[in-house]
Amino acid sequence: MGQKVNPKSFRMGSLFTWSSNWYAKKGDYSRFLLEDVKLRQWLFERLKLAGITEIKIDRSINTVKVTLSVARPGVVIGRGGSGLEELKKEIVKRLKNLPVGKQAPKLELQVVEVKNPDLSARLIGLRLADQLLRRYPHRRAIAQLLEKTMAAGAKGIKIMLAGRINGAEISRKEKYFKGSMPLSTLRSDIDYFEQPAFTQMGYVGIKIWIYTGERAMP
């Protein structure tokens, strides 16, 4: 089973928790869900230079708390906190789609620094996609990423490319491993990310698995 499903979904509830935490009545559920999806899409694009890895959204009765995990918090906070205040105002504008008679919720914005960006599957996947778009040799790029990730303290890393790799006429898959990758073990802390690279020579799909060791299950 571990080979066929998203590693995070497979461990949801036992090792990982949900990225959105809230309760909604029947009329509010679809609105909250769509609002979360659009807000995440906008934040990932808006904070691309900050190296954003995760967005958590917690809603209570009259408060929305957004927690951003970024590799470069200074890019988000700005000089004297000006960047954070500007970002907060832009998020509030996107939370104003409220039913008639309801008050806008209070927004709490928190920025958390990612201690080791080289262990983030999202950042590695985006970096590899960017290298493929710039026509950097894919085997050399992957070899460098494997070495860098293992040097950062990972127990194992797996990278899979699928599509018209290097402009090939027929699409194919290529897999690259280093270390161990126990995908069927629920205690395994595995970060996962997938990203398409729309190169000039065709579509290449990228999947990244990073294993950082076992965690105690609650």
Side-chain angles (χ1 to χ4, degrees):
M1 179 62 77
Q3 303 285 340
K4 301 178 181 67
V5 299
N6 187 308
K8 286 195 171 183
S9 300
F10 189 44
R11 293 161 178 80
M12 192 63 70
S14 60
L15 204 64
F16 301 114
T17 185
W18 286 261
S19 298
S20 291
N21 293 296
W22 41 263
Y23 170 79
K25 295 179 181 178
K26 186 176 181 181
D28 290 333
Y29 182 87
S30 59
R31 181 173 62 85
F32 284 174
L33 180 61
L34 184 60
E35 200 171 72
D36 282 9
V37 170
K38 287 185 174 180
L39 183 60
R40 277 199 174 87
Q41 289 174 344
W42 177 77
L43 283 171
F44 276 127
E45 185 62 31
R46 168 76 162 72
L47 302 176
K48 189 183 293 183
L49 295 177
I52 185 167
T53 61
E54 188 179 16
I55 301 169
K56 289 188 176 181
I57 301 174
D58 299 288
R59 296 175 185 264
S60 60
I61 297 173
N62 54 7
T63 305
V64 176
K65 183 180 179 182
V66 180
T67 305
L68 308 174
S69 299
V70 296
R72 294 180 289 277
V75 176
V76 182
I77 297 170
R79 184 173 294 179
S82 59
L84 198 62
E85 288 302 317
E86 183 183 346
L87 181 63
K88 198 171 180 179
K89 289 177 184 177
E90 292 179 14
I91 293 175
V92 168
K93 288 180 184 177
R94 283 164 169 76
L95 296 175
K96 282 188 176 179
N97 184 21
L98 299 169
V100 178
K102 289 202 175 183
Q103 188 178 2
K106 179 185 175 185
L107 176 67
E108 293 181 9
L109 186 59
Q110 184 179 4
V111 178
V112 179
E113 183 180 4
V114 176
K115 298 296 182 184
N116 198 337
D118 290 325
L119 295 179
S120 169
R122 180 181 182 83
L123 296 183
I124 289 175
L126 292 174
R127 193 183 310 162
L128 180 56
D130 183 60
Q131 289 174 318
L132 294 180
L133 289 174
R134 291 188 283 109
R135 304 184 72 173
Y136 192 81
H138 71 281
R139 287 192 177 90
R140 187 187 303 173
I142 290 173
Q144 291 171 353
L145 290 174
L146 294 177
E147 290 294 334
K148 200 169 184 181
T149 303
M150 294 300 289
K155 302 288 185 183
I157 177 172
K158 174 183 172 183
I159 298 177
M160 185 170 76
L161 302 182
R164 295 192 60 190
I165 302 168
N166 206 25
E169 288 284 337
I170 301 174
S171 64
R172 65 178 189 272
K173 287 184 181 180
E174 290 186 7
K175 296 180 183 179
Y176 301 87
F177 298 86
K178 202 169 184 68
S180 59
M181 188 58 60
L183 292 175
S184 297
T185 306
L186 287 174
R187 296 186 304 275
S188 302
D189 188 356
I190 296 175
D191 193 17
Y192 173 78
F193 182 67
E194 55 186 56
Q195 171 73 21
F198 300 98
T199 68
Q200 291 182 349
M201 295 176 286
Y203 178 101
V204 178
I206 301 169
K207 291 184 178 181
I208 310 280
W209 294 259
I210 296 178
Y211 171 51
T212 54
E214 291 191 356
R215 280 168 48 184
M217 296 174 65

